[in-house]
Amino acid sequence: MARVDMPLDAMREYRPQVREPEDFDKFWRVTIAESRAAGGDVTIRRVDTPMPVLDSYDVSPGFGGDPIRAWFTVPAGAQGPLPGVVEYVGYNGGRGLAHQVVSWALAGFAYLRMDNRGQGGGWNAGSTPDPHGSAPAYPGVMTRGIESPKDYYYRRLVTDAVLAVDVLRSLPQVDESCVCAVGGSQGGGLTLAVAGLVDGLTAVMPDFPLPVQFRTGHRVQRWQLL
């Protein structure tokens, strides 16, 4: 049963109160610029899969030059330019196997599925570590480094998501002017973040986004547990 604190009609009209820190825009502008400057070569390696109608590749990187893994999949023999789709994975999941999620590529898109650093194994395997440590935290990643915006886990993951768009746009099979961001749950939250941080996206499709409205979600969770 979903945890809610208002009736359906009220939820349809709900608009959150946004508490934006004064340095919010500068914080993300500097974070992303520093990670782009840190660079790191974008690697692309062809991989074999059981699906001969698709070509699949292993690509990277992300925050601070960290090698964030992703699957890149296109129709077999595609030269492009194809419209691109970057997908972000839900909480506690990873990118899985190269042939596990390929619907976008089968539909004719150039498809990039980003791994979640330090996650995976809950329902899909991950293959990217998070090399940045933090103070003690509750199990999982929600509170990892939460005492400092600079050290908070989601600073790194959101930056990974932004740079995943950069990577997708840089690939020769992709029409860089036609890129869409999609994702569900945690991936939906990343999709919304990317919509605010990346210019020129053609479409954004978040599905039941988490994490958004941290304060409200925390209050509802506490109320349900009392």
Side-chain angles (χ1 to χ4, degrees), residues 70-100:
W71 294 125
F72 176 62
T73 310
V74 294
Q79 300 297 313
L82 300 174
V85 173
V86 56
E87 183 169 17
Y88 306 114
V89 178
Y91 188 74
N92 202 27
R95 64 175 181 167
L97 302 176
H99 62 280
Q100 266 187 284

Side-chain angles (χ1 to χ4, degrees), residues 133-144:
S134 75
Y138 189 80
V141 299
M142 284 290 180
T143 62
R144 189 177 297 171

Side-chain angles (χ1 to χ4, degrees), residues 85-91 93-94 111-116 123 157-166 168 179-195 198 201 204-205:
V85 173
V86 56
E87 183 169 17
Y88 306 114
V89 178
Y91 188 74
Y111 171 59
L112 186 81
R113 182 176 175 85
M114 188 189 85
D115 202 18
N116 290 324
W123 49 274
L157 193 65
V158 168
T159 303
D160 294 343
V162 169
L163 298 188
V165 176
D166 290 357
L168 182 61
V179 170
C180 171
V182 305
S185 192
Q186 174 186 258
L190 292 174
T191 300
L192 289 174
V194 167
V198 175
L201 292 173
V204 177
M205 295 188 291

